[in-house]
C-alpha cells in the first residue's frame, strides 16, 4: 500500500472501509450517513484530512512508531533483512488499523455533528440512477411525442369562442353547430343539457357553462342529401310532442337539424322508459318505431296511472307520422359524424361563490392555495423525466421551490393519501363511506379542509382526470352533493365516454392533449377570480399511472404553465404545492430495494408566495429547515389548516411542537429525529427502516411466505366461486426490518438462520419484522407484505398493508365491484 503524504494523494486507508457509508448506501443495510458536500473525504488529500479532523497527534504517534522500529531494530532478523522488514510491516499495519478505526469513528461523529443528526434519525440510502434497471426505467428517448390529430375548429380567446379560419378553410361552409352543456346529476352520472342548435352565422356564441360539447357539420352536397333522405327520415316531432319530451320543435328545414332532433327525440323517450320502474323491455328496440311500439305495450300492461308513461300514453298516438325504410334495421340516429367535434372546459365565475367570499371577513394576510398532484412519480423520476419543469420549479431565478426530500407516503393508493391530506384522519377514523358496505354514507360526511376554506371566503376547485379511478369514487361512494364550486368530474366522464375519445390518439381528446384541459382550466380559474381568495386541487393521473416515462409529455407544457402563472401575477400571493401521490408503483424496480424506497418517497415541492420573500421572510425559515426531515400527508393537512390564518403562523413560529403529534405544519420546526411511528407511518411504508437481507431458504422465511398466501386467500374466501385460491410459486426477496438503533453490528450481506436465531434470542426482541416479496402460481402476481414473527410463541402476523407490485389493470378481475379484493382475485 502506497501513501502519498503531503502531496494530497487520496487517502486509500480511509476510502476502502468508508466508501459505502460516504456514498450514503450499504449493501448490508440499505442505508448510511449522508455526508455534506464540504466533507467529501474521498476527494480530500491525506494531510488535509488529518488537519481537518485534528488528528495530528495520532499521525505523529504513527510516524514515531515507525521510526522507533527502525532505530531500535525491534527484530530478531535485523531491520534490513527481508523477514525483519515483514515484521516491521506487521507492526505498521497494526498501528494503521488502529488509526483507521479512530478515523472512522471521528468521520462519523464529525458528519453527524455538522449535519445535526443522531443515531435515531431517519436515514435513507442515496439512489444510483446509473443502475441498469433504472436506466431502463427512466429512459424516455423511445417515447414518441404526442400526436393529437383532431381538428380544433374553435378556441376560447378572452372568454369568447372564435373560429380558426385556417382549420375551416375557404371552401368549407358550416351548415349547423350543436352546443350541449355537460352537467352533474350525481357523482356516477352526467347529463347533457337541452341542445342548442345553431344553423346560421355567427356560430361563435357565449356559453354560460363550464363544460360543453360542440358538434359542427359542414355543408352537404346533393348526393349526401339524397342518400340521407332515402333512409326514410322526412318529418320530425311537432311543437306539442317536442314540448312533451323536452325537445325543441323543429322549425328549420335543415337536414342536420332533422337528424339531430330525431336522435334527441329517441334518446329522451329511451330515458323515460328507463326511469319508469314499471318498464321491463324484453328486447332492445332496433329503431324509433319499435321503441314507440314497446312503449305502448308497456303502457298497456301497466295500470299505474301515476307512471310517467301512463301520463303520456294519450299523447303517444298523436306523434307525427314518420316514413320508414322497412329494410333498415338501424336506429334513427344522426347519419353523419360531425365534421368537427370538441369538448370545452372553461371557467364561468360562480356568482354565489363570489358573494359568499365578499361577505366573510378575512385575516390581514391571505394566501391562495394551489396543489397539483401527479400519479406515481418519485423524486428521481421527476428529475429524470421532467428536467425543464424541475429546473424552473427549484431554481432561485425560477420559482425557488423547496424540495421536501424527507416526504414519506402513508399508503400507496391515492385514496389513502388524499383522505388524510384533506381531513387529517385515516379512513378508519372517519365515518364509513366505502362501497358495498352496509349503511355506508357519502364522502360529504368527511371534514375536508376545502369546506373550511369555503367558510373562510375562498372559491374552491377540485379536478381529477381519470373518472373511473378517482380517489373518492373507486373505493368510496363519492359525493352526494357537488363538493366544491368548480368540479370537473362530469366533464371527464363525458369526455372519456365519448366517441371522440375512442377515435383519438393516446392521451388526447381530438386535437388537444388531455393535460391541457386541466392546466388551462386551473389557469383560467386564477385569472377569472383574480381578486378572490382561491383554493384549487388538480390531480393528473393519466400519463404516469401505468408507465412513469409518459410523464415526459407533460414537461414542456407544465413549465410553460408555471411560467404563465408567474407572469400573470397568480403566484405572487399563492402557496404552490407540486407533488405526487406516491412513487413509481408498477415496475420491475419494485423487486429491488431502490424501487421499493422510491415508491415510498414521491416528489414533493412547495413554492411559497413571492410576496413572502419580501415581506414575511420569517415564515420561510422553518420551511427550509423541514426540507430534509420526515414528513407525511398528515403534515400537509396541518400546513393547509395553518394557511387559513397566516398571521397566527407568525405568532407561533417559535413555539415548541408536541413531538407526539402525528401531523405538524411545515411552518413549525419538525423534530430532526422524528420517527415513522410518531409521524403516523406504519412499518410497511417507512423508508427510515433498515433492511438486512435474509436467506430465502431458512424456515422462518418460508413459513412467513406461506402466512402471506394464507392471508390473501382469506380475503377472497367469501368469493371463492369467482376467485381462485392462490398458491406460492417462489420467494423473490426477504428482508429483515429493523430501526437503526437496533441494527446488529457487523452483520454480513445476508443474515443466516443462526444470526436470525441469535437476534430472536435477545431478551429485548420479542417481535421480528420481515418484508417479503413473493410470486404466486395462479396469477403470476407479485406481492409485497410485512410479516411479524413473534419469537415467544412462534406465530406469524401479516400486516394488512399488502402491495401488488405488478400492474394488474390489464388482468381480468372478478368481483370488480369489491375494490378491496381486486388485487387478490384471479377468476377461477
Amino acid at each position: 500500500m502506497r501513501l502519498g503524504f503531503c502531496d494530497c494523494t487520496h487517502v486509500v486507508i480511509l476510502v476502502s472501509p468508508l466508501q459505502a457509508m460516504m456514498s450514503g448506501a450499504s449493501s448490508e443495510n440499505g442505508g448510511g450517513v449522508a455526508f455534506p458536500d464540504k466533507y467529501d473525504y474521498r476527494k480530500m488529500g491525506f494531510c488535509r484530512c488529518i488537519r481537518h479532523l485534528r488528528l495530528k497527534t495520532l499521525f505523529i504517534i504513527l510516524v514515531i512508531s515507525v521510526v522507533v522500529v527502525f532505530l531500535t531494530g525491534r527484530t530478531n532478523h535485523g531491520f534490513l533483512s527481508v523477514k525483519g522488514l515483514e515484521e516491521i510491516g506487521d507492526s505498521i499495519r497494526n498501528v494503521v488499523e488502529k488509526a483507521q478505526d479512530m478515523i472512522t469513528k471521528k468521520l462519523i461523529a464529525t458528519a453527524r455533528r455538522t449535519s445535526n443528526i443522531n443515531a435515531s434519525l431517519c436515514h435513507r440510502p442515496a439512489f444510483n440512477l446509473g443502475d441498469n434497471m433504472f436506466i431502463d426505467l427512466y429512459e424516455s428517448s423511445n417515447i414518441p411525442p404526442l400526436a393529437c390529430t383532431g381538428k380544433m375548429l374553435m378556441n376560447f380567446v378572452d372568454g369568447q369562442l372564435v373560429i380558426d379560419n385556417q382549420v375551416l378553410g375557404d371552401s368549407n361552409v358550416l351548415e349547423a353547430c350543436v352546443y350541449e352543456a355537460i352537467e352533474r346529476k350525481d357523482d356516477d352520472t352526467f347529463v347533457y343539457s337541452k341542445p342548442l342548435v345553431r344553423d346560421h352565422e355567427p356560430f361563435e356564441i357565449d356559453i354560460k357553462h363550464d363544460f360543453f360539447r360542440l358538434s359542427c357539420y359542414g355543408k352537404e352536397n346533393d348526393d349526401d342529401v339524397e342518400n340521407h333522405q332515402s333512409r326514410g327520415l322526412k318529418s320530425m316531432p311537432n311543437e306539442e310532442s317536442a314540448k312533451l319530451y323536452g325537445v325543441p320543435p323543429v322549425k328549420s328545414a335543415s337536414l342536420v337539424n332533422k337528424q339531430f332532433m330525431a336522435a334527441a327525440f329517441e334518446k329522451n323517450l329511451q330515458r323515460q322508459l328507463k326511469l319508469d320502474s314499471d318498464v321491463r323491455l324484453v328486447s332492445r328496440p332496433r329503431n324509433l318505431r319499435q321503441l314507440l311500439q314497446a312503449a305502448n305495450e308497456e303502457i298497456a300492461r301497466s295500470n299505474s296511472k301515476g307512471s310517467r308513461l301512463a301520463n303520456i300514453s294519450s299523447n303517444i298516438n298523436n306523434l307525427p307520422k314518420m316514413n320508414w325504410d322497412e329494410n333498415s334495421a338501424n336506429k334513427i340516429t344522426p347519419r353523419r359524424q360531425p365534421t368537427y367535434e370538441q369538448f370545452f372546459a372553461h371557467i364561468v365565475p360562480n356568482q354565489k361563490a363570489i358573494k359568499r367570499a365578499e361577505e366573510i371577513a378575512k385575516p390581514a394576510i391571505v394566501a391562495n392555495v394551489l396543489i397539483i398532484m401527479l400519479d406515481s412519480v418519485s423524486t428521481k423520476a421527476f428529475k429524470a423525466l421532467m428536467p425543464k419543469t424541475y429546473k424552473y420549479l427549484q431554481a432561485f431565478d425560477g420559482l425557488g421551490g423547496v424540495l421536501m426530500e424527507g416526504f414519506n407516503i402513508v399508503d400507496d393508493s391515492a385514496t389513502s393519501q388524499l383522505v388524510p391530506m384533506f381531513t387529517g384522519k385515516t379512513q378508519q377514523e372517519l365515518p364509513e363511506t366505502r362501497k358495498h358496505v352496509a349503511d355506508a354514507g357519502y364522502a360529504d360526511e368527511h371534514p375536508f379542509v376545502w369546506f373550511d376554506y369555503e367558510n373562510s371566503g375562498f372559491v374552491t376547485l377540485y379536478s381529477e382526470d381519470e373518472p373511473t379511478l378517482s380517489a373518492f369514487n373507486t373505493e368510496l361512494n363519492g359525493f352526494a352533493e357537488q363538493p366544491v364550486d368548480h368540479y370537473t368530474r362530469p366533464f371527464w366522464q363525458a369526455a372519456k365516454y365519448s366517441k371522440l375519445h375512442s377515435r383519438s390518439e393516446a392521451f388526447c381528446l381530438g386535437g388537444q392533449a388531455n393535460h391541457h384541459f386541466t392546466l388551462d382550466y386551473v389557469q383560467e380559474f386564477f385569472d377569472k377570480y383574480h381578486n378572490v381568495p382561491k383554493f384549487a386541487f388538480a390531480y393528473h393521473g393519466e400519463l404516469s399511472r401505468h408507465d412513469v416515462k409518459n410523464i415526459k409529455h407533460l414537461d414542456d407544457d407544465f413549465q410553460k404553465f408555471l411560467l404563465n402563472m408567474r407572469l400573470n401575477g397568480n403566484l405572487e400571493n399563492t402557496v404552490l404545492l407540486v407533488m405526487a401521490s406516491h412513487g413509481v408503483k408498477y415496475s420491475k424496480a419494485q423487486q429491488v430495494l431502490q424501487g421499493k424506497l422510491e415508491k415510498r418517497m414521491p416528489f414533493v415541492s412547495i413554492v411559497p408566495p413571492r410576496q413572502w420573500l419580501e415581506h414575511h421572510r420569517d415564515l420561510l425559515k422553518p420551511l427550509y429547515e423541514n426540507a430534509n426531515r420526515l414528513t407525511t400527508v398528515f403534515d400537509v393537512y396541518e400546513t393547509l389548516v395553518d394557511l387559513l390564518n397566516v398571521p397566527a403562523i407568525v405568532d407561533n413560529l417559535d413555539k415548541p411542537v408536541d413531538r407526539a403529534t402525528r401531523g405538524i405544519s411545515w411552518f413549525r420546526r419538525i423534530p430532526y429525529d422524528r420517527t415513522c411511528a410518531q409521524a403516523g407511518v406504519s412499518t410497511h411504508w417507512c423508508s427510515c427502516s433498515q433492511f438486512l437481507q435474509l436467506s430465502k431458504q431458512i424456515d422462518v422465511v418460508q413459513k412467513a411466505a406461506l402466512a402471506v398466501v394464507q392471508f390473501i386467500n382469506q380475503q377472497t374466501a367469501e368469493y371463492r366461486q369467482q376467485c381462485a385460491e392462490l398458491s406460492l410459486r417462489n420467494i423473490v426477496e426477504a428482508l429483515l426490518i429493523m430501526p437503526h438503533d437496533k441494527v446488529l453490528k457487523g452483520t454480513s450481506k445476508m443474515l443466516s438462520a443462526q444470526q436470525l436465531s441469535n437476534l430472536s434470542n435477545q431478551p429485548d426482541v420479542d417481535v421480528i419484522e420481515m418484508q417479503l416479496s413473493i410470486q404466486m402460481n395462479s396469477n403470476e402476481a407479485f406481492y409485497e407484505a410485512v410479516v411479524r414473527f413473534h419469537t415467544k410463541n412462534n406465530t406469524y402476523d401479516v400486516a394488512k398493508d399488502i402491495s401488488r407490485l405488478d400492474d394488474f389493470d390489464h388482468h381480468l378481475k372478478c368481483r370488480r365491484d369489491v375494490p378491496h379484493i381486486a388485487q387478490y382475485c384471479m377468476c377461477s
Side-chain angles (χ1 to χ4, degrees), residues 575-594:
V575 174
L576 169 65
L577 184 60
V578 179
M579 63 186 302
S581 55
H582 44 74
V584 181
K585 189 173 179 180
Y586 302 124
S587 74
K588 62 182 181 180
Q590 291 301 303
Q591 300 174 24
V592 298
L593 178 60
Q594 180 173 330

Side-chain angles (χ1 to χ4, degrees), residues 475-488:
E475 301 177 16
L476 309 183
N477 286 326
F479 297 95
E481 303 295 332
Q482 180 166 309
V484 290
D485 298 316
H486 293 271
Y487 188 49
T488 64

Side-chain angles (χ1 to χ4, degrees), residues 417-539:
Q417 283 284 97
L418 291 184
V419 168
M421 183 169 125
F422 288 133
T423 68
K425 302 178 182 295
T426 65
Q427 291 185 62
Q428 292 73 28
E429 298 166 348
L430 293 167
E432 182 62 75
T433 58
R434 288 179 299 168
K435 288 184 176 180
H436 312 293
V437 176
D439 301 323
Y442 290 92
D444 309 60
E445 301 174 25
H446 295 346
F448 290 108
V449 74
W450 57 70
F451 295 146
D452 298 325
Y453 275 84
E454 287 185 356
N455 295 332
S456 299
F458 285 66
V459 180
T460 54
L461 177 149
Y462 185 99
S463 174
E464 280 190 79
D465 67 340
E466 285 279 16
T468 59
L469 299 171
S470 60
F472 300 108
N473 299 89
T474 304
E475 301 177 16
L476 309 183
N477 286 326
F479 297 95
E481 303 295 332
Q482 180 166 309
V484 290
D485 298 316
H486 293 271
Y487 188 49
T488 64
R489 181 168 175 78
F491 168 80
W492 286 111
Q493 287 174 316
K496 293 300 177 73
Y497 296 138
S498 68
K499 292 183 178 179
L500 177 62
H501 177 261
S502 64
R503 298 194 305 266
S504 300
E505 303 293 333
F507 311 125
C508 300
L509 186 62
Q512 187 165 347
N514 288 334
H515 61 260
H516 276 296
F517 289 101
T518 298
L519 297 180
D520 293 347
Y521 192 69
V522 169
Q523 182 164 336
E524 192 173 355
F525 176 73
F526 273 77
D527 291 340
K528 292 289 182 68
Y529 292 105
H530 188 70
N531 296 317
V532 182
K534 296 166 282 293
F535 176 94
F537 173 77
Y539 189 112

Side-chain angles (χ1 to χ4, degrees), residues 355-373:
K355 184 178 180 181
R356 179 189 69 218
E358 292 174 347
E359 293 175 349
I360 298 175
K362 300 173 185 64
I365 308 172
V366 178
N368 304 314
V369 175
L370 171 58
I371 306 172
I372 298 180
M373 179 175 280

